[in-house]
Amino acid sequence: MPSFLFYIFAAIMLIGGTMVVFMRNPVSSALSMVLSFLGLAALFVGLNAYLIGILQILVYAGAIMVLFIFIIMLLDLKKEEKNTFRPAAVAAGIVIPLLLVIQLAGVINKQPDSPKAPQLELKQAAANFDEGTMINKRLSDERLPDTHLIGDKLYTDYNFPLQMVAVLLLVATIGCVTLSKKNTK
Amino acid sequence: MPFDSLPTPSLNEYLMISGLLFAIGLAGVIIRRNIIVIFMCLEMMLAAASLTLVAFSRFNTVDGLPDYDGQMLVFFVITVAAAEVAVGLAIIVSLYRARQTIHTDELTTLKG
């Protein structure tokens, strides 16, 4: 991704993030978060992670944010508008992240010759996959079949973690039902 | 591609940007008093970590392809975050039912 596009999307992401923190109304915060995640998804696509970029939009902007907005609507939060930011919390909230950023900038400045993204060698990579498979065909056409590659890895190397995630989702479902059930003693 | 000759961002720029997003999320967790917004800022910190993982995956090519292990980790992070949001919002709803507030200032039962 060219630098100017990178900076545009990074700016969208950071401005969205700042608006999440400083908007008084929780609904505006949630919508700013969608903006922030759209910029982030664009950065993912620029890093050739197309599936992750789409997942970011589908799962976060599509599902999680709708859930947040739904809960905000359900709880009917009007009082928040009057609440002002407390100076002590604002000071701590600016100083501590600032320290983090300064440390990070110090570490990054030690590496002045940071690498650029290496070229993807798709034709060469095709040799590692069996002839006739979709991955081999796409790679030979100089296209990156990143969904196929992730699927290939997910169901071979990461088969056990995938099943663990399935158990986790089941536990989360049961937890939600238990938590939101009315107490009927 | 007409864009191919333009300069591209380096790894440091990606790390710095994701560090900034993480810092903004942390600032939100410290400043805000509304527990739903705190929760959103937590999600933002997770997303910042995902950006780092994807950047490392792209800058460390294996046999000419991005290192997909990093992207698998992001995949699992997104799944776990979705489960976490579902449970967390259920907790917030039951908290609101018990106390009629979601401001962390007014939830002081555990204060010593």
Side-chain angles (χ1 to χ4, degrees):
Chain A
M1 174 158 57
S3 272
F4 75 93
L5 281 180
F6 169 79
Y7 283 116
I8 290 171
F9 289 127
I12 290 175
M13 185 180 83
L14 293 179
I15 290 170
T18 321
M19 276 160 63
V20 174
V21 179
F22 289 108
M23 284 288 185
R24 295 266 162 96
N25 190 339
V27 177
S28 322
S29 287
L31 294 179
S32 320
M33 186 119 195
V34 172
L35 180 72
S36 175
F37 281 159
L38 287 181
L40 184 63
L43 290 186
F44 284 160
V45 170
L47 282 165
N48 295 86
Y50 308 110
L51 178 70
I52 299 293
I54 298 292
L55 272 185
Q56 185 79 19
I57 293 181
L58 280 183
V59 175
Y60 276 103
I64 293 184
M65 277 308 126
V66 171
L67 204 60
F68 269 113
I69 292 174
F70 190 74
I71 295 295
I72 292 169
M73 182 199 80
L74 205 65
L75 299 189
D76 192 22
L77 307 169
K78 293 222 182 77
K79 246 168 61 185
E80 173 71 11
E81 308 266 356
K82 283 174 264 164
N83 262 27
T84 47
F85 294 113
R86 296 183 324 172
V90 173
I94 288 171
V95 169
I96 295 173
L98 201 64
L99 285 178
L100 189 79
V101 170
I102 290 170
Q103 282 185 339
L104 183 68
V107 172
I108 281 177
N109 270 338
K110 292 235 165 173
Q111 290 278 338
D113 49 346
S114 166
K116 299 276 178 185
Q119 278 294 320
L120 296 177
E121 309 285 349
L122 299 180
K123 278 245 166 67
Q124 178 202 318
N128 297 329
F129 294 92
D130 291 338
E131 198 74 41
T133 56
M134 189 60 91
I135 296 178
N136 183 288
K137 220 162 82 187
R138 287 279 151 70
L139 284 175
S140 308
D141 291 350
E142 293 279 323
R143 291 165 62 191
L144 181 65
D146 103 311
T147 311
H148 288 95
L149 286 164
I150 287 182
D152 184 45
K153 223 173 174 60
L154 188 63
Y155 288 108
T156 53
D157 297 352
Y158 287 85
N159 198 8
F160 181 66
L162 182 70
Q163 297 187 35
M164 283 300 101
V165 162
V167 175
L168 174 82
L169 288 179
L170 177 69
V171 170
T173 315
I174 295 173
C176 281
V177 172
T178 320
L179 279 170
S180 47
K181 203 176 62 177
K182 275 239 163 79
N183 258 345
T184 48
K185 275 178 193 168
Chain B
M1 288 283 277
F3 283 157
D4 274 356
S5 53
L6 293 172
T8 54
S10 64
L11 182 57
N12 275 355
E13 289 168 84
Y14 279 104
L15 295 183
M16 197 64 216
I17 289 294
S18 79
L20 280 174
L21 188 65
F22 189 89
I24 291 173
L26 183 61
V29 170
I30 297 173
I31 292 175
R32 294 304 295 255
R33 286 287 164 265
N34 184 327
I35 209 163
I36 290 183
V37 180
I38 290 179
F39 210 44
M40 281 194 258
C41 292
L42 277 178
E43 290 303 311
M44 215 153 67
M45 288 160 80
L46 277 179
S50 298
L51 179 58
T52 318
L53 285 169
V54 173
F56 277 127
S57 135
R58 176 63 183 85
F59 281 76
N60 176 30
T61 53
V62 178
D63 297 332
L65 290 177
D67 188 349
Y68 277 102
D69 287 322
Q71 295 194 21
M72 293 312 306
L73 196 48
V74 174
F75 179 84
F76 288 117
V77 166
I78 290 178
T79 322
V80 172
E84 176 217 320
V85 165
V87 175
L89 286 177
I91 291 176
I92 291 175
V93 169
S94 53
L95 183 73
Y96 186 78
R97 251 198 231 145
R99 293 292 164 80
Q100 275 73 49
T101 182
I102 52 161
H103 285 114
T104 47
D105 283 339
E106 296 160 34
L107 300 167
T108 52
T109 315
L110 280 181
K111 209 180 209 171

